[in-house]
Amino acid sequence: MDAQHDATGNAARPVLEAPDIARVLTRIAHEIVERAKGADDVVLLGIPTRGVFLARRLADKLEEITGRKMPVGSLDITMYRDDLRMRPARALARTEIPGEGIEGRLVVLVDDVLFSGRTIRAALDALGDIGRPRAVQLAVLVDRGHRELPIRADYVGKNLPTSLRETVKVQLAEEDGRDAVLLGVEQAAPAVER
């Protein structure tokens, strides 16, 4: 695997390529069917942006396994984030709840990277404003550790222990033109002479 460069220009090496991502999504789909005893009442909700694409892919895999079309949607968490004041303004994404709704159903939240847990906390708050599922589970492509909240994923594509200086960038064909998970190192800011 050759070193690539992430969006900030830092050298990054691939830790998952397209075939690896396809394989872990297939495994996660089988785990969902097994734990949900057939996945009859499962609703997949992706967290924008890449979580939505992953949720759609998981829905396709679940349909292959079960023979049933899976309800899939998206859950925008922008207004539920606890860091709105500290980050630049970002555009609102769409929340799309499948016609079956979420009441009394097993909702599987889908995201690309689990890090501090704050995104998932915001997703749980957003979900609470929409309805009351029977249960909520979490599926992530990468769990990189460093939790700040007591949140864990039920389904993990790859556990990737990282340092806080490392970056994890997920690329998906729908958004980035290719499938890969890149691990890079943030460059230290240059020292300022006084």
Side-chain angles (χ1 to χ4, degrees):
M1 292 187 215
D2 296 330
Q4 315 262 330
H5 288 83
D6 65 16
T8 61
N10 297 331
R13 67 177 174 84
V15 292
L16 292 176
E17 297 279 5
D20 306 313
I21 292 172
R23 191 170 38 258
V24 299
L25 289 176
T26 299
R27 177 177 45 80
I28 289 172
H30 281 282
E31 290 175 6
I32 290 171
V33 170
E34 184 176 326
R35 287 181 69 182
K37 297 179 179 33
D40 291 336
D41 69 341
V42 168
V43 175
L44 299 169
L45 292 180
I47 299 172
T49 298
R50 287 166 187 82
V52 175
F53 301 128
L54 292 169
R56 290 178 187 152
R57 290 185 191 188
L58 269 176
D60 291 342
K61 301 254 185 215
L62 286 165
E63 184 176 356
E64 289 173 20
I65 296 166
T66 65
R68 291 185 318 278
K69 193 144 186 73
M70 288 292 143
V72 63
S74 62
L75 183 65
D76 179 38
I77 61 156
T78 304
M79 298 310 295
Y80 294 88
R81 296 189 65 93
D82 63 2
D83 61 356
L84 282 176
R85 293 180 312 279
M86 301 180 316
R87 301 179 113 198
R90 59 190 272 182
L92 294 177
R94 291 182 53 156
T95 291
E96 295 177 3
I97 303 302
E100 299 88 342
I102 63 167
E103 292 293 325
R105 300 182 69 113
L106 170 58
V107 172
V108 178
L109 294 173
V110 182
D111 203 6
D112 56 353
V113 178
L114 179 56
F115 183 32
S116 68
R118 293 186 179 280
T119 296
I120 304 309
R121 188 222 33 94
L124 292 170
D125 288 348
L127 198 59
D129 282 351
I130 293 169
R132 185 179 168 100
R134 172 177 64 78
V136 179
Q137 295 179 346
L138 175 61
V140 296
L141 184 60
V142 176
D143 183 345
R144 65 171 290 184
H146 304 288
R147 220 70 79 239
E148 296 172 6
L149 299 171
I151 291 174
R152 69 167 181 79
D154 299 278
Y155 311 101
V156 177
K158 181 166 183 71
N159 283 299
L160 187 62
T162 61
S163 77
L164 289 173
R165 286 194 58 231
E166 291 176 305
T167 60
V168 175
K169 173 70 175 154
V170 173
Q171 296 179 329
L172 296 175
E174 298 91 337
E175 180 80 6
D176 308 295
R178 70 179 284 230
D179 283 355
V181 175
L182 304 174
L183 179 64
V185 178
E186 288 183 14
Q187 301 299 320
V192 178
E193 291 186 36
R194 295 183 185 245

